[in-house]
Amino acid sequence: MGTQESGIVGTFVGNYIRRAVRKAFRRLYWIPPTDLPEGPIIYATNHHGWHDGYVMFHVVSALQRPALDWIAEFEAFPLFRTVGGMPFPPNDPQARAITIRKTIRRMRDEKKDLILFAEGILHHGPDLLPFGEALELVAKKVPGVKVVPTAIRYEMNMHERPEAYVLFGAPLDPETKNLRVATRDEVKRLLAEASFRVRKEPDTFKVLAQGTLDVNERWDVRKFKK
C-alpha cells in the first residue's frame, strides 16, 4: 500500500494530472481487478491515447500500489519522476538500458509495479503493434513478478468530451509460452470486451475519476424549475 506521489512536488504533479483529466474527459471508468497478486506487477497495456499515462496514474493511485512508468518524453517534464516516471528516450539505447536496469532493481528491492506501454510507441488504434522485448526481459529478471494484461479504450461519440474505460486480464506467469504474444492477444480481447460492455453492459463499469459533464448536463435549466 502506498502513494504514487513523492513529496510536495509529487503532490503538485499529481494534482496537475487530476486537473488535466477533469478538463479533458467526462469520466474515466474501470472494472477494478479482483485477483492482483501481492508481488510486483507489470501492467502491460496498449498505447492508443495521449492520456494513457494519466489514466494509469489514476489506476495505480486508486489501487494504492506505487508503480514506475517509462516515459519517452521524460526530458520535457522531468518532474514526472516524482510520480514514478523514468526516462525512456526512443533514440538513446544506452539511456533505455540504464532505465531497464534501475527498474528491475527497484521492482526487486522496493516491490514497485511497472506500467509498460508494451507496443513501445503511441499510435492510432484500434490495431495493436507487436509487444516489445522489454516485457519478457523485465518479467524474467524480477522474482515473483506477474504480467497483468491491461486495456484502455476511448469512446467519444456520446458525449461532449471523451470517456476512457480500463479492463484487466488474469495475471500471467513469466514462464507463459510466447509471453509477448499471449499478453498482446489478451489485451486485444480486452479491448473488444470493453467495446461490447460500453454498448451493452455499461452498468458493469465503476467510475474511476470524475471529469467535466456535458454542457447540457451542467446547465440544464429544467432542474431549476423543480
Side-chain angles (χ1 to χ4, degrees), residues 97-108:
I98 292 172
T99 289
I100 291 173
R101 289 195 295 269
K102 288 182 177 179
T103 298
I104 292 169
R105 183 173 66 250
R106 294 186 68 182
M107 293 182 74
R108 285 175 172 174

Side-chain angles (χ1 to χ4, degrees), residues 133-213:
E133 297 178 358
L135 173 61
E136 291 180 341
L137 175 61
V138 176
K140 291 178 180 178
K141 295 290 186 179
V142 179
V145 74
K146 300 291 185 182
V147 176
V148 176
T150 305
I152 304 172
R153 185 174 186 96
Y154 297 97
E155 296 283 344
M156 179 67 211
N157 57 312
M158 298 301 293
H159 294 282
E160 182 181 2
R161 289 170 175 79
E163 296 182 298
Y165 298 81
V166 186
L167 285 181
F168 306 89
L172 300 175
D173 291 320
E175 295 80 15
T176 299
K177 184 179 180 181
N178 296 324
L179 178 62
R180 284 187 285 163
V181 174
T183 306
R184 180 182 181 275
D185 287 346
E186 179 63 1
V187 172
K188 183 178 180 179
R189 185 194 69 78
L190 289 167
L191 287 168
E193 179 182 342
S195 179
F196 173 82
R197 286 179 179 270
V198 167
R199 290 156 177 78
K200 302 296 184 180
E201 302 174 351
D203 292 342
T204 59
F205 289 98
K206 299 182 182 297
V207 176
L208 173 61
Q210 180 64 55
T212 302
L213 296 178

Side-chain angles (χ1 to χ4, degrees), residues 48 118-121 123 127-131 184:
H48 291 163
E119 298 170 279
I121 60 171
H123 68 100
D127 295 334
L128 291 173
L129 302 177
F131 282 13
R184 180 182 181 275

